[in-house]
Every structure is written in structure tokens, then in C-alpha cells.
Amino acid sequence: MLRRSAPRHLLPPDEAEVALQNLREIDFYSWENRNKDDLRKEYPTEYRAWKAGDPDGLVVDGKKPLWETWDRAARVWDETRSNNSANERQQQRILAEGGEERTATLVVCHGTGKALLGSAFGL
């Protein structure tokens, strides 16, 4: 969930929260809802790669979930910048009416934080 600016009382009345499709948990495909001990036994190399954060070593159903998550994180930042640019005209209107000069973007997520931070810093 992406929310522009904070706290709520500083937002214009028509400012809305924006749900970003790319801001979601990692996809584990056939590993979803499986017991970790079973995965460790059935896929020891891939499981170790997942725990080590090795994006090339974790392959599930022919896909690379860690790379996919990092790619989505980069797209989240692109979408965030795009949303900010699209709202600049509205921000200028708010400033003209004596609103706050500060703007911020709050990104709320669980589990994808490392990918978001890494992509933000170009890692």
C-alpha cells in the first residue's frame, strides 16, 4: 500500500491510498503453503540458496523468485516516482492555498522490505 504524505490531516480530501500490484510477497509457486522441513529435505540446494539469499541458486518450478521480487521492487519505485510526478500539479495547488511545503511517501509492506531497500540503493 502506498500513501502519499502523512499525517492524514495534511492530505487533501481527494488524496487516496494507492495499492501497487508489484508490492506483494515473494512468489514461491509450488513451495507455497509447504512445510519448511519438507522443503529442506526435498530441495536441499534450493532451500540453502533461499536462506542465503542467493537469487541464482533459488529456482522453483523453473523460476527465480528472488530475482522476480527484486525486479518488482524496482518497478515499485518507478511507479512511486511516476505517482509523485503526476501529483505535482495538485501539490502546487495545495502550496498556493497555503498548504504544507513538505511531501513524503509512505510505503507499508511486510517481507519485501529488503528488496525495496536494496533496489532503492541500487544494490
Side-chain angles (χ1 to χ4, degrees):
M1 186 65 68
L2 171 76
R3 182 195 290 182
R4 297 203 8 89
S5 217
R8 176 61 84 183
H9 71 277
L10 295 177
L11 294 174
D14 59 345
E15 187 73 26
E17 293 178 348
V18 178
L20 301 177
Q21 176 61 29
N22 286 314
L23 189 59
R24 66 181 191 276
E25 295 291 331
I26 189 170
D27 292 322
F28 277 113
Y29 305 100
S30 66
W31 283 23
E32 295 283 340
N33 300 314
R34 299 270 317 266
N35 182 291
K36 290 180 183 178
D37 290 330
D38 292 342
L39 292 172
R40 187 180 309 125
K41 291 174 188 171
E42 291 178 46
Y43 308 98
T45 304
E46 293 86 349
Y47 189 87
R48 278 193 305 275
W50 170 49
K51 297 308 276 183
D54 174 7
D56 291 315
L58 177 60
V59 179
V60 179
D61 301 333
K63 301 183 185 296
K64 295 186 175 183
L66 291 175
W67 278 121
E68 291 173 356
T69 301
W70 281 80
D71 288 341
R72 283 197 323 268
R75 281 184 261 150
V76 164
W77 290 123
D78 291 341
E79 291 176 57
T80 301
R81 285 189 291 273
S82 175
N83 286 340
N84 286 344
S85 296
N87 289 315
E88 280 181 6
R89 288 180 295 281
Q90 183 174 359
Q91 290 173 3
Q92 291 169 354
R93 181 183 59 79
I94 294 166
L95 292 175
E97 296 171 2
E100 291 287 324
E101 290 187 29
R102 292 181 176 175
T103 60
T105 300
L106 172 65
V107 178
V108 179
C109 63
H110 304 279
T112 56
K114 287 181 185 178
L116 285 168
L117 287 174
S119 66
F121 292 108
L123 302 175

